[in-house]
Amino acid sequence: MLQVKTADDKTWQVDIQKDAILLNGTPFNWDIAPIGPNTYHIIKDSKSYTAELVEANYQDKTFTFKINGVKQTVSVKDRFDLLLDKLGMSNANAQKVNDVKAPMPGLILEIKVQPGQEVKKGDPIMILEAMKMENILKAPGDGVVKEIKVAVKQNVEKNQVLILF
């Protein structure tokens, strides 16, 4: 089961079975043939369409098609995405991370960012020494450093706020 949603909030339930495709529970009959890379000829209800896949973002599950010259973007959710939505655990409902906390007690060896600096998810932001090991703390998401709450050579406790975004 897939849920397909267009930019103008039209939604369809697509069920791909062994020998049929159901669109909102109704059989969907069409003829489709490839005519080039990412380009297809479709016949549906005696009408002819040329469809081209312009862009595919598999991580976000969004796809942009050009159908008879008109661009249309759709987002797709599979059964797992729908289950996460139902349980209230979707990425859209995830809270934005506003700070970085110390994962363990230790000593701040180096601060690699400054207030006002933009960071991307995974960028190193600080080095924390704990149990004679250097741990590189990384940005949990994209953002701008708002405030640094610690200084180099400062001891910190577990869960102490180090940086605000």
Side-chain angles (χ1 to χ4, degrees):
M1 172 72 78
L2 296 173
Q3 182 183 70
V4 179
K5 191 174 194 176
T6 63
D8 57 356
D9 282 335
K10 291 182 183 173
T11 304
W12 294 276
Q13 301 300 325
V14 180
D15 190 7
I16 301 171
Q17 298 178 346
K18 186 176 180 179
D19 56 349
I21 296 174
L22 300 178
L23 185 66
N24 292 335
T26 304
F28 184 80
N29 298 314
W30 64 335
D31 289 318
I32 183 168
I35 56 175
N38 296 328
T39 307
Y40 303 88
H41 182 254
I42 299 169
I43 298 175
K44 170 75 174 128
D45 298 330
S46 301
K47 293 182 184 174
S48 176
Y49 302 92
T50 301
E52 176 187 359
L53 178 62
V54 177
E55 183 180 344
N57 183 331
Y58 294 99
Q59 184 174 357
D60 293 338
K61 298 180 184 175
T62 59
F63 304 89
T64 301
F65 297 93
K66 193 183 284 186
I67 300 173
N68 288 348
V70 178
K71 278 190 179 180
Q72 180 69 264
T73 300
V74 298
S75 61
V76 178
K77 291 184 178 184
D78 61 19
R79 63 188 174 122
F80 300 111
D81 297 321
L82 294 171
L83 178 61
L84 288 173
D85 284 350
K86 187 175 180 180
L87 295 173
M89 298 169 46
S90 68
N91 285 344
N93 294 335
Q95 276 192 319
K96 185 178 172 187
V97 177
N98 294 322
D99 57 29
V100 171
K101 295 179 181 176
M104 62 194 85
L107 176 71
I108 302 297
L109 292 182
E110 186 178 348
I111 299 171
K112 297 185 166 281
V113 294
Q114 297 180 10
Q117 181 177 340
E118 283 190 41
V119 294
K120 299 284 184 199
K121 182 177 182 175
D123 286 353
I125 55 174
M126 190 173 289
I127 298 178
L128 174 71
E129 180 185 54
M131 298 181 286
K132 299 185 182 181
M133 291 178 52
E134 291 184 6
N135 300 283
I136 299 172
L137 303 182
K138 297 180 179 182
D142 296 352
V144 177
V145 177
K146 180 178 178 184
E147 183 180 354
I148 299 172
K149 304 289 269 180
V150 293
V152 174
K153 304 237 186 235
Q154 179 180 339
N155 286 312
V156 295
E157 297 298 319
K158 181 177 180 174
N159 291 326
Q160 180 177 341
V161 175
L162 306 175
I163 294 179
L164 295 175
F165 291 100

